[in-house]
Amino acid sequence: MPILFQDLRFSLRLLRKNPSFAAVAIATLALGIGANTALFSVVNAVLLRPLPFRNPESLCLLTERMPTLPTLGPSWQNFQDWRGQAQSFERIAAARNATFTLSGAGDPEHLAGQLASADLFPLLGVSAFRGHTFTAEEDKPGAAPVVLLSYGFWQRRFAGSPAALGQSLTLDNQQYTIAGVLPPRFQFVQPADVYVPFAPWAARLPDDRSWHPGIIAVGRLKSNVTVARAGIEMSAIARRLEQAYPVYDTGVGANVNLLHSQLVENVRPALLVLLGAVALVLLIACVNIANLLLARATSRSREIALRTAIGAGRGRILRQLLTESTLLAAAGGLAGAGLAYLAIHPLMLLAGASIPDLGPVTSDYRVLLFVCGAVLLASVLCGLGPALQTLRLDLRSALNEAARGSTGTSGQRKVRGLLVIGEIAFAIVLLTGAGLLLRSFERLQDVQPGFRPTNLLVADVPLSQNAYSQPAARMNFFDRLLDEARNLPGVSS
């Protein structure tokens, strides 16, 4: 241990004598490790971290399959048959994303919401933070309307007051009684401010099995059932429904997939490709530092030769040189972790809705292990090659060449040449990949959608199903809206 401290003190003294070299090396490694850590934090939050529910590995997403559509939400009628016939699941629950208009005190406000069946929260293993989640009696047609609030909306609207329970909330011109508040950071599939019972809405759906209203069906596997076995059973149920309802269910199958895998299916390839790209950036940074260390070792060849001549063993010198590269890598890792922390929020804003929101992107033990691994890898890649090359010094020639002011032995020059070749090769791979991605993006921009998109605006106007329950009322509203929009300045049609 005293020898290790001695090596560490000597390395710090050398870095203080060469502040410009130390600054360049640390900054280079910080950029490489920081980029890798920031992206790995996203990968960890999206791909590696399990969903924040009870036994998330047994949660499955149940979808329908048609010849023209490989995945879509089930019809309400088929969902009910699934729930009644399937034996592979402890529970099967339903949810649906929706938008509500909050009115009453103050200006009306659009809220993100969800319809949730009463068994959704027990299935997920989620209890209310305040009050209670939906009961079976509340999730029935004709039941008194109740609503659950997200923790964030409860804090924003009611300042976290327990007195909010039992108060009324006007959503889509209907009074709802606040029954409970869900735990902090709870969300299912996507964030929502309010949750209302599913069955009262489903009771108004048409009796049409070809109607797919965006139902999210989720099931929890029994302890002794695999995904494959559940898929076989659901396919058998789909065949029975096809025989019973040939007009609607001909060609309609059923899919059973792990919920987490299905949520990240579209984004997984892109995240892994990006992680590989920034890993190449770190390799280029390490090759740069290895080149700098090899050039620096050339100027220290006389020192190494003298230490070897007076009895320093090869292991002792190797440990000293690796201590120097490890110290640089550790400093770069600390700076890189700080850069990653600052970069995560802008990175998520840049990604926008392309990355599923499965929870906060924060550091945990996986990110810590990743940073430690990156530091270890950087220290080995940066220091091992130059250190081994330095140990191959011929004492007589090294002392003579150092006395003549040589720029390095032939072996060192060969290693530096190989490092330069490797650096150029990695850079070419990155530049080629970036060029192909830019070319693909350019071609996507040139795809004609079949109309002239210049100066076109799109507006989404969700209407309250209570205030506009009849089709004629809805059409009259949009007729008036279009008449007024045509008279706006700058509108041509």
Side-chain angles (χ1 to χ4, degrees):
M1 191 64 68
I3 295 178
L4 181 60
F5 285 137
Q6 182 180 354
D7 291 341
L8 187 60
R9 286 196 301 269
F10 185 68
S11 300
L12 288 171
R13 190 159 60 247
L14 287 177
L15 293 180
R16 283 199 300 268
K17 288 182 179 179
N18 299 274
S20 58
F21 165 79
V24 170
I26 292 173
T28 302
L29 288 174
L31 290 174
I33 294 176
N36 278 268
T37 303
L39 193 55
F40 180 79
S41 298
V42 177
V43 170
N44 177 53
V46 177
L47 302 184
L48 301 181
R49 185 185 300 159
L51 296 174
F53 306 126
R54 176 176 60 88
N55 298 333
E57 67 280 356
S58 64
L59 293 177
C60 293
L61 187 68
L62 313 180
T63 56
E64 287 188 346
R65 179 180 66 252
M66 300 176 66
T68 55
L69 291 173
T71 303
L72 74 162
S75 67
W76 172 237
Q77 290 77 13
N78 284 349
F79 170 81
Q80 290 177 300
D81 286 328
W82 288 358
R83 187 163 56 181
Q85 299 181 34
Q87 302 297 317
S88 298
F89 303 94
E90 294 178 5
R91 294 172 185 261
I92 296 179
R96 181 180 181 270
N97 298 321
T99 302
F100 296 94
T101 300
L102 173 66
S103 57
D107 294 332
E109 179 183 357
H110 279 303
L111 298 178
Q114 278 188 341
L115 310 169
S117 61
D119 46 9
L120 176 67
F121 300 104
L123 182 148
L124 299 177
V126 174
S127 301
F129 181 78
R130 289 281 190 273
H132 64 272
T133 58
F134 300 137
T135 65
E137 293 300 320
E138 292 170 336
D139 188 30
K140 286 183 176 180
V146 294
V147 62
L148 299 177
L149 309 182
S150 71
Y151 184 87
F153 180 73
W154 177 55
Q155 293 288 334
R156 174 166 59 90
R157 185 78 178 186
F158 298 95
S161 172
L165 298 181
Q167 293 188 27
S168 294
L169 209 62
T170 303
L171 301 174
D172 289 350
N173 297 325
Q174 182 172 355
Q175 295 287 326
Y176 288 82
T177 301
I178 300 174
V181 178
L182 294 173
R185 296 183 178 178
F186 168 81
Q187 66 179 52
F188 178 67
V189 180
Q190 69 179 34
D193 295 315
V194 292
Y195 300 78
V196 301
F198 190 92
W201 168 84
R204 300 196 298 267
L205 292 174
D207 186 14
D208 184 352
R209 290 178 181 266
S210 63
W211 185 270
H212 298 272
I215 295 175
I216 304 169
V218 59
R220 178 176 293 280
L221 293 171
K222 293 181 178 178
S223 58
N224 59 341
V225 178
T226 64
V227 175
R229 178 178 166 186
I232 294 173
E233 183 193 28
M234 291 298 296
S235 296
I237 295 174
R239 288 193 295 270
R240 290 200 296 268
L241 294 178
E242 182 176 6
Q243 294 174 359
Y245 308 99
V247 175
Y248 302 107
D249 281 344
T250 296
V252 177
N255 304 312
V256 179
N257 297 289
L258 290 176
L259 178 61
H260 183 262
S261 299
Q262 197 70 11
L263 292 178
V264 303
E265 180 183 24
N266 293 331
V267 75
R268 179 187 284 111
L271 285 178
L272 295 180
V273 168
L274 287 175
L275 189 60
V278 295
L280 285 181
V281 172
L282 179 59
L283 287 176
I284 292 175
C286 291
V287 171
N288 267 319
I289 304 306
N291 256 324
L292 292 175
L293 287 174
L294 190 58
R296 190 161 172 263
T298 301
S299 64
R300 297 177 58 191
S301 59
R302 183 177 177 83
E303 170 204 334
I304 301 299
L306 285 174
R307 294 179 64 182
T308 303
I310 63 177
R314 292 181 179 271
R316 181 73 176 82
I317 294 175
L318 179 63
R319 187 171 63 246
Q320 173 63 53
L321 296 175
L322 288 179
T323 300
E324 296 174 17
S325 64
T326 302
L327 186 62
L328 285 174
L334 288 175
L339 289 176
Y341 177 79
L342 297 176
I344 285 176
H345 183 64
L347 182 63
M348 295 303 295
L349 290 178
L350 181 64
S354 60
I355 295 181
D357 186 0
L358 302 182
V361 181
T362 56
S363 298
D364 58 14
Y365 74 94
R366 292 190 187 89
V367 177
L368 179 61
L369 290 176
F370 180 85
V371 174
C372 294
V375 169
L376 180 62
L377 177 66
S379 64
V380 171
L381 292 178
C382 293
L384 188 59
L388 292 176
Q389 186 64 34
T390 301
L391 292 182
R392 297 193 184 98
L393 286 174
D394 179 73
L395 296 182
R396 180 179 298 177
S397 62
L399 291 171
N400 291 337
E401 288 183 9
R404 294 194 299 267
S406 171
T407 59
T409 66
S410 60
Q412 288 172 330
R413 288 192 291 272
K414 287 180 181 178
V415 173
R416 292 172 64 182
L418 290 175
L419 289 174
V420 170
I421 292 173
E423 183 178 356
I424 293 174
F426 289 142
I428 289 175
V429 171
L430 275 180
L431 289 175
T432 302
L436 291 174
L437 288 174
L438 289 174
R439 178 59 180 162
S440 298
F441 180 74
E442 181 184 9
R443 294 182 65 181
L444 286 175
Q445 294 291 94
D446 291 338
V447 172
Q448 296 299 320
F451 58 89
R452 291 187 298 108
T454 307
N455 295 337
L456 291 182
L457 300 180
V458 177
D460 181 24
V461 186
L463 296 182
S464 165
Q465 293 189 7
N466 297 309
Y468 299 90
S469 58
Q470 299 300 320
R474 301 171 71 86
M475 295 306 299
N476 288 335
F477 170 86
F478 284 111
D479 287 340
R480 296 195 306 271
L481 178 64
L482 290 173
D483 288 339
E484 296 187 18
R486 292 187 183 97
N487 296 322
L488 291 175
V491 173
S492 61
S493 65

